[in-house]
Amino acid sequence: MSEFVYTYPSLFPGTLLKRYKRFLADIKLDSGEEITAHCANPGKMLGLSAPGSRVMVSLSANLKRKLPYSLELVAAEENPTIWVGVNTSLPNQVIKLALAEHLFPGLGAYETIKPEVVYGRDRKSRVDFVLTGTEGTTPIYLEVKNVTWAQGEKALFPDAITTRGHKHLLELVDVIETHSARAVALFFISRGDCEVFGPGDTADPLYGKLLREAVSKGLEILPCRFELTPAGVRYLGLAEVAF
């Protein structure tokens, strides 16, 4: 088993009471304290929102935060032995570390990793990473998506309609066509029980359509499997893509 790519700070166990207004979760910690945690996940969190689910939360040292706790992990309803990462701010942190270690051979040789680069025809979007090498090498525009929904051993994205995701796909295709660059959609599979990846057509048919069209125009898919535990995050390799 590989070493951790990312190590969590101390996490606190508890039980989910309810998730509501998308970004709030009431939780009873094992200590007996009841808290409201920030839930940094705009999706439906299908299979991860049932009251009574086991959860792990982190505690911020920022005293100015209105909600000091953040929901990090939820035990999957269909298999409570599997922890699923629901904090959508985590994947970019992990991928930045993984890129620095060159864990993804398919990306080739790059020397510079630039996060949050402004791009798009209206210059109002930001791509998660741009990878560049020596002069004359093709730059890579890389967008990261957190994947939590699963049906059996197949991970699916998205789990809700994502107009932002639609825009990202169109912009990545535009990068290929107008900048002669590589464009990569990296799907961060935040659970260790999935070996196959595909679009979540039943949740957002348009995203599935746009993803297939983007692939036909040169978009590369990097479906990365990760195992998450309260200790840290391990990289397990690539999933099979099934359209």
Side-chain angles (χ1 to χ4, degrees):
M1 184 67 70
S2 62
E3 297 296 324
F4 291 133
V5 180
Y6 172 87
T7 302
Y8 277 108
S10 296
L11 298 183
F12 301 89
T15 301
L16 181 65
L17 300 178
K18 64 176 179 178
R19 182 213 181 192
Y20 55 104
K21 295 182 180 179
R22 287 202 302 174
F23 300 111
L24 299 176
D26 288 344
I27 293 162
K28 184 172 183 179
L29 299 178
D30 286 2
S31 65
E33 179 184 3
E34 291 192 11
I35 64 166
T36 297
H38 179 230
C39 177
N41 192 311
K44 290 184 177 180
M45 285 174 48
L46 298 175
L48 302 169
S49 299
S53 297
R54 294 293 293 164
V55 300
M56 290 281 177
V57 298
S58 61
L59 178 61
S60 173
N62 184 356
L63 299 179
K64 295 182 180 180
R65 274 188 51 163
K66 183 177 180 180
L67 297 174
Y69 288 97
S70 293
L71 181 59
E72 300 287 349
L73 299 170
V74 179
E77 292 172 25
E78 73 276 15
N79 185 355
T81 65
I82 298 297
W83 288 108
V84 183
V86 297
N87 186 340
T88 56
S89 69
L90 180 69
N92 280 34
Q93 298 178 52
V94 177
I95 293 304
K96 186 176 182 179
L97 296 171
L99 290 173
E101 295 296 325
H102 291 263
L103 289 188
F104 313 121
L107 294 178
Y110 52 87
E111 297 178 351
T112 304
I113 304 166
K114 297 179 181 179
E116 295 293 320
V117 176
V118 175
Y119 84 128
R121 294 197 177 188
D122 59 5
R123 307 296 291 173
K124 293 182 179 179
S125 296
R126 292 180 184 270
V127 68
D128 290 320
F129 298 98
V130 172
L131 312 178
T132 55
T134 56
E135 186 175 352
T137 58
T138 304
I140 301 173
Y141 286 70
L142 188 149
E143 183 71 26
V144 180
K145 297 298 183 186
N146 189 46
V147 183
T148 61
W149 182 27
Q151 292 182 340
E153 293 186 351
K154 187 175 185 179
L156 300 165
F157 181 88
D159 70 350
I161 292 175
T162 170
T163 54
R164 187 165 178 261
H166 303 162
K167 183 181 179 184
H168 286 161
L169 289 175
L170 295 173
E171 289 174 332
L172 288 172
V173 169
D174 189 59
V175 160
I176 297 170
E177 295 178 342
T178 64
H179 292 75
S180 299
R182 291 174 64 188
V184 178
L186 189 154
F187 293 96
F188 187 105
I189 302 172
S190 290
R191 50 193 301 158
D193 59 343
C194 294
E195 298 184 359
V196 180
F197 168 79
D201 292 312
T202 57
D204 187 345
L206 178 56
Y207 187 89
K209 177 178 180 290
L210 291 174
L211 181 61
R212 292 175 177 88
E213 290 176 352
V215 169
S216 72
K217 295 177 181 179
L219 177 70
E220 301 170 46
I221 293 181
L222 203 61
C224 299
R225 300 177 58 229
F226 289 91
E227 178 188 48
L228 289 85
T229 73
V233 180
R234 290 188 178 95
Y235 177 53
L236 301 178
L238 298 180
E240 175 188 350
V241 177
F243 275 177

PDB file of all heavy atoms in Angstrom, residues 221-234:
ATOM      1  N   ILE A 221      -9.150  12.429 -20.001  1.00  0.00           N
ATOM      2  CA  ILE A 221      -9.761  12.138 -18.708  1.00  0.00           C
ATOM      3  C   ILE A 221      -8.750  11.399 -17.846  1.00  0.00           C
ATOM      4  O   ILE A 221      -8.141  10.422 -18.270  1.00  0.00           O
ATOM      5  CB  ILE A 221     -11.040  11.290 -18.872  1.00  0.00           C
ATOM      6  CG1 ILE A 221     -12.123  12.097 -19.578  1.00  0.00           C
ATOM      7  CG2 ILE A 221     -11.555  10.816 -17.518  1.00  0.00           C
ATOM      8  CD1 ILE A 221     -13.415  11.334 -19.760  1.00  0.00           C
ATOM      9  N   LEU A 222      -8.580  11.877 -16.630  1.00  0.00           N
ATOM     10  CA  LEU A 222      -7.686  11.238 -15.674  1.00  0.00           C
ATOM     11  C   LEU A 222      -8.507  10.877 -14.434  1.00  0.00           C
ATOM     12  O   LEU A 222      -8.688  11.697 -13.537  1.00  0.00           O
ATOM     13  CB  LEU A 222      -6.542  12.196 -15.311  1.00  0.00           C
ATOM     14  CG  LEU A 222      -5.245  11.594 -14.775  1.00  0.00           C
ATOM     15  CD1 LEU A 222      -4.613  10.660 -15.802  1.00  0.00           C
ATOM     16  CD2 LEU A 222      -4.271  12.696 -14.385  1.00  0.00           C
ATOM     17  N   PRO A 223      -9.069   9.650 -14.375  1.00  0.00           N
ATOM     18  CA  PRO A 223      -9.913   9.252 -13.249  1.00  0.00           C
ATOM     19  C   PRO A 223      -9.060   8.641 -12.137  1.00  0.00           C
ATOM     20  O   PRO A 223      -8.692   7.466 -12.184  1.00  0.00           O
ATOM     21  CB  PRO A 223     -10.854   8.223 -13.866  1.00  0.00           C
ATOM     22  CG  PRO A 223     -10.039   7.605 -14.973  1.00  0.00           C
ATOM     23  CD  PRO A 223      -9.016   8.616 -15.410  1.00  0.00           C
ATOM     24  N   CYS A 224      -8.736   9.434 -11.139  1.00  0.00           N
ATOM     25  CA  CYS A 224      -7.775   9.038 -10.109  1.00  0.00           C
ATOM     26  C   CYS A 224      -8.479   8.480  -8.880  1.00  0.00           C
ATOM     27  O   CYS A 224      -9.322   9.149  -8.271  1.00  0.00           O
ATOM     28  CB  CYS A 224      -6.916  10.233  -9.709  1.00  0.00           C
ATOM     29  SG  CYS A 224      -5.946  10.903 -11.066  1.00  0.00           S
ATOM     30  N   ARG A 225      -8.097   7.264  -8.514  1.00  0.00           N
ATOM     31  CA  ARG A 225      -8.693   6.590  -7.352  1.00  0.00           C
ATOM     32  C   ARG A 225      -7.895   6.923  -6.093  1.00  0.00           C
ATOM     33  O   ARG A 225      -6.673   6.819  -6.061  1.00  0.00           O
ATOM     34  CB  ARG A 225      -8.702   5.072  -7.551  1.00  0.00           C
ATOM     35  CG  ARG A 225      -9.494   4.611  -8.757  1.00  0.00           C
ATOM     36  CD  ARG A 225      -9.373   3.098  -8.919  1.00  0.00           C
ATOM     37  NE  ARG A 225      -9.846   2.400  -7.727  1.00  0.00           N
ATOM     38  CZ  ARG A 225      -9.175   1.444  -7.107  1.00  0.00           C
ATOM     39  NH1 ARG A 225      -7.980   1.063  -7.554  1.00  0.00           N
ATOM     40  NH2 ARG A 225      -9.673   0.859  -6.035  1.00  0.00           N
ATOM     41  N   PHE A 226      -8.630   7.301  -5.054  1.00  0.00           N
ATOM     42  CA  PHE A 226      -7.994   7.589  -3.773  1.00  0.00           C
ATOM     43  C   PHE A 226      -8.716   6.844  -2.656  1.00  0.00           C
ATOM     44  O   PHE A 226      -9.935   6.699  -2.676  1.00  0.00           O
ATOM     45  CB  PHE A 226      -8.020   9.094  -3.470  1.00  0.00           C
ATOM     46  CG  PHE A 226      -7.101   9.898  -4.340  1.00  0.00           C
ATOM     47  CD1 PHE A 226      -7.553  10.433  -5.542  1.00  0.00           C
ATOM     48  CD2 PHE A 226      -5.783  10.121  -3.973  1.00  0.00           C
ATOM     49  CE1 PHE A 226      -6.709  11.173  -6.357  1.00  0.00           C
ATOM     50  CE2 PHE A 226      -4.929  10.859  -4.777  1.00  0.00           C
ATOM     51  CZ  PHE A 226      -5.391  11.381  -5.970  1.00  0.00           C
ATOM     52  N   GLU A 227      -7.948   6.393  -1.693  1.00  0.00           N
ATOM     53  CA  GLU A 227      -8.510   5.816  -0.473  1.00  0.00           C
ATOM     54  C   GLU A 227      -8.365   6.858   0.627  1.00  0.00           C
ATOM     55  O   GLU A 227      -7.256   7.349   0.890  1.00  0.00           O
ATOM     56  CB  GLU A 227      -7.761   4.545  -0.077  1.00  0.00           C
ATOM     57  CG  GLU A 227      -8.284   3.933   1.221  1.00  0.00           C
ATOM     58  CD  GLU A 227      -7.414   2.784   1.703  1.00  0.00           C
ATOM     59  OE1 GLU A 227      -6.168   2.962   1.743  1.00  0.00           O
ATOM     60  OE2 GLU A 227      -7.967   1.729   2.033  1.00  0.00           O
ATOM     61  N   LEU A 228      -9.484   7.189   1.251  1.00  0.00           N
ATOM     62  CA  LEU A 228      -9.467   8.173   2.323  1.00  0.00           C
ATOM     63  C   LEU A 228      -9.765   7.491   3.653  1.00  0.00           C
ATOM     64  O   LEU A 228     -10.698   6.679   3.756  1.00  0.00           O
ATOM     65  CB  LEU A 228     -10.489   9.278   2.066  1.00  0.00           C
ATOM     66  CG  LEU A 228     -10.135  10.235   0.919  1.00  0.00           C
ATOM     67  CD1 LEU A 228     -10.592   9.678  -0.420  1.00  0.00           C
ATOM     68  CD2 LEU A 228     -10.741  11.609   1.140  1.00  0.00           C
ATOM     69  N   THR A 229      -8.968   7.805   4.650  1.00  0.00           N
ATOM     70  CA  THR A 229      -9.173   7.331   6.007  1.00  0.00           C
ATOM     71  C   THR A 229      -8.993   8.524   6.937  1.00  0.00           C
ATOM     72  O   THR A 229      -8.476   9.567   6.509  1.00  0.00           O
ATOM     73  CB  THR A 229      -8.154   6.239   6.390  1.00  0.00           C
ATOM     74  OG1 THR A 229      -6.858   6.847   6.583  1.00  0.00           O
ATOM     75  CG2 THR A 229      -8.055   5.158   5.324  1.00  0.00           C
ATOM     76  N   PRO A 230      -9.395   8.413   8.196  1.00  0.00           N
ATOM     77  CA  PRO A 230      -9.186   9.544   9.115  1.00  0.00           C
ATOM     78  C   PRO A 230      -7.714   9.915   9.302  1.00  0.00           C
ATOM     79  O   PRO A 230      -7.415  11.002   9.791  1.00  0.00           O
ATOM     80  CB  PRO A 230      -9.800   9.035  10.419  1.00  0.00           C
ATOM     81  CG  PRO A 230     -10.853   8.069   9.975  1.00  0.00           C
ATOM     82  CD  PRO A 230     -10.247   7.375   8.789  1.00  0.00           C
ATOM     83  N   ALA A 231      -6.815   9.045   8.878  1.00  0.00           N
ATOM     84  CA  ALA A 231      -5.389   9.356   8.993  1.00  0.00           C
ATOM     85  C   ALA A 231      -4.894  10.148   7.790  1.00  0.00           C
ATOM     86  O   ALA A 231      -4.085  11.072   7.932  1.00  0.00           O
ATOM     87  CB  ALA A 231      -4.574   8.072   9.147  1.00  0.00           C
ATOM     88  N   GLY A 232      -5.343   9.772   6.590  1.00  0.00           N
ATOM     89  CA  GLY A 232      -4.840  10.462   5.418  1.00  0.00           C
ATOM     90  C   GLY A 232      -5.396   9.916   4.121  1.00  0.00           C
ATOM     91  O   GLY A 232      -6.338   9.111   4.109  1.00  0.00           O
ATOM     92  N   VAL A 233      -4.778  10.335   3.017  1.00  0.00           N
ATOM     93  CA  VAL A 233      -5.255  10.028   1.668  1.00  0.00           C
ATOM     94  C   VAL A 233      -4.160   9.286   0.910  1.00  0.00           C
ATOM     95  O   VAL A 233      -3.021   9.759   0.823  1.00  0.00           O
ATOM     96  CB  VAL A 233      -5.623  11.321   0.909  1.00  0.00           C
ATOM     97  CG1 VAL A 233      -6.108  10.993  -0.496  1.00  0.00           C
ATOM     98  CG2 VAL A 233      -6.680  12.112   1.677  1.00  0.00           C
ATOM     99  N   ARG A 234      -4.510   8.127   0.345  1.00  0.00           N
ATOM    100  CA  ARG A 234      -3.576   7.344  -0.472  1.00  0.00           C
ATOM    101  C   ARG A 234      -4.040   7.332  -1.923  1.00  0.00           C
ATOM    102  O   ARG A 234      -5.232   7.257  -2.204  1.00  0.00           O
ATOM    103  CB  ARG A 234      -3.501   5.893   0.023  1.00  0.00           C
ATOM    104  CG  ARG A 234      -2.815   5.677   1.351  1.00  0.00           C
ATOM    105  CD  ARG A 234      -2.628   4.183   1.615  1.00  0.00           C
ATOM    106  NE  ARG A 234      -1.928   3.927   2.860  1.00  0.00           N
ATOM    107  CZ  ARG A 234      -2.528   3.678   4.012  1.00  0.00           C
ATOM    108  NH1 ARG A 234      -3.849   3.650   4.055  1.00  0.00           N
ATOM    109  NH2 ARG A 234      -1.819   3.454   5.102  1.00  0.00           N
TER     110      ARG A 234
END
